[in-house]
Structure formats: structure tokens, C-alpha cells
Amino acid sequence: MTYDTNNIFAKILRGEIPCHKIYEDAHVLAFMDVMPQVDGHALVIPKAPSRNLLDADPAVFAPLFAAVQKVANAAKQAFDAEGVLIKQFNEAAAGQTVYHLHVHVLPRKDGQELKPHSGKMADHALLAKQAEAYRAALKV
Ligand code: AMP
């Protein structure tokens, strides 16, 4: 399987479609998931192209997971979470729907239900507010 340069996250990285940005550095971009499973559901992606973890250059993992850690701590603070769920899917059989490596960050509270994966589109004003809460927690 090859990398499709027209996947939606590649378009976000090129600035061809908008996102609610949380964090960016030379290696990664983090933004709000538009069909969140919980309030504060974020995605962290490397700028380097790969379909998923299976074909990624291992050099992307250190900066990617350093950013995941930052965003996860910000999620805990900004959404008053008790824990943080990190998810990552590889190929359709494992639930992957967008074929650019990404890591899901979900702030969690005990007993709180998860909405379905790739379910309902969230209100953009709400996502903008939540991205702002992340940026405040990250101090960026
Ligand atoms: P998956 O490939 O299954 O790990 O998940 C892809 C995720 O990307 C899903 O949770 C979608 O809700 C999310 N998603 C799809 N399109 C966009 C978009 N344009 N901006 C932000 N998130 C998106």
C-alpha cells in the first residue's frame, strides 16, 4: 500500500483545508478531531508522510511521541481529565480511516462514555474554543 498525497491530513499539512490547530513544531502538527469521541479529542500527526505506524521512518516516533506527551498533559489540564487515552490504528481492518499516521489523544473521566469512532461532526465554534483551551494549557 502506498501513501496517497491527497489524503485529508496531507491537505491539512499543506494548508489546503483548515483545522483547529493546537500545537505545531518542525516535526508535528496537533489539531482537534472534527468527529470527537469525547470533548477534547485531539490528533497528533507527523509532518513526514507515511500511511501509518507500519511504514513510518522510526525517526518520526521520538518527536511525534514527545508532542503526544505534551498534548496529553494539556488535555488533562484543559479538560479536567482524570486520565488520557492514546489510540492509533493501522489499516482498515484495525479501524484506520485516514491514511496518514496519526495518534488520537482523548481526555478521560471515570465512567464517561466514548461516542462512536468517526461519528458525528462537532460544532466548529466549540472545537475552536477547545483548541484555544489546549493552546492556553500548552502556553503557545
Ligand atoms: P482513524 O484513521 O480511524 O484513526 O481516524 C481518523 C480520525 O480523523 C477520525 O477520528 C475522524 O473523526 C478524524 N477526521 C477526519 N477528517 C478530519 C478532519 N478534516 N479534521 C480533523 N479530524 C478529522
Side-chain angles (χ1 to χ4, degrees):
M1 297 270 212
T2 53
Y3 179 79
D4 173 9
T5 55
N6 280 323
N7 75 74
I8 199 124
F9 294 168
K11 289 183 179 175
I12 287 175
L13 282 170
R14 291 196 296 267
E16 291 168 9
I17 61 166
C19 71
H20 296 284
K21 184 154 71 166
I22 295 169
Y23 174 79
E24 182 170 15
D25 65 26
H27 303 285
V28 306
L29 177 68
F31 51 94
M32 301 306 298
D33 192 307
V34 290
M35 289 174 268
Q37 290 191 262
V38 286
D39 277 347
H41 184 167
L43 299 169
V44 186
I45 69 173
K47 291 186 173 176
S50 73
R51 282 175 67 81
N52 51 47
L53 174 142
L54 302 173
D55 62 331
D57 179 342
V60 309
F61 298 137
L64 177 62
F65 276 86
V68 168
Q69 184 188 40
K70 277 194 182 103
V71 172
N73 277 310
K76 204 158 172 276
Q77 190 185 318
F79 296 90
D80 200 22
E82 293 159 357
V84 183
L85 173 63
I86 303 298
K87 298 201 296 180
Q88 194 276 318
F89 303 94
N90 301 285
E91 299 301 334
Q96 187 175 9
T97 59
V98 177
Y99 295 95
H100 179 107
L101 174 58
H102 55 279
V103 179
H104 296 257
V105 177
L106 296 96
R108 300 291 289 135
K109 282 189 181 156
D110 200 24
Q112 175 200 49
E113 255 187 58
L114 276 185
K115 291 183 216 147
H117 180 216
S118 294
K120 214 172 120 215
M121 189 74 86
D123 174 61
H124 278 279
L126 177 65
L127 291 176
K129 259 191 159 177
Q130 293 174 344
E132 201 179 303
Y134 262 114
R135 291 194 301 271
L138 284 161
K139 298 180 179 58
V140 291

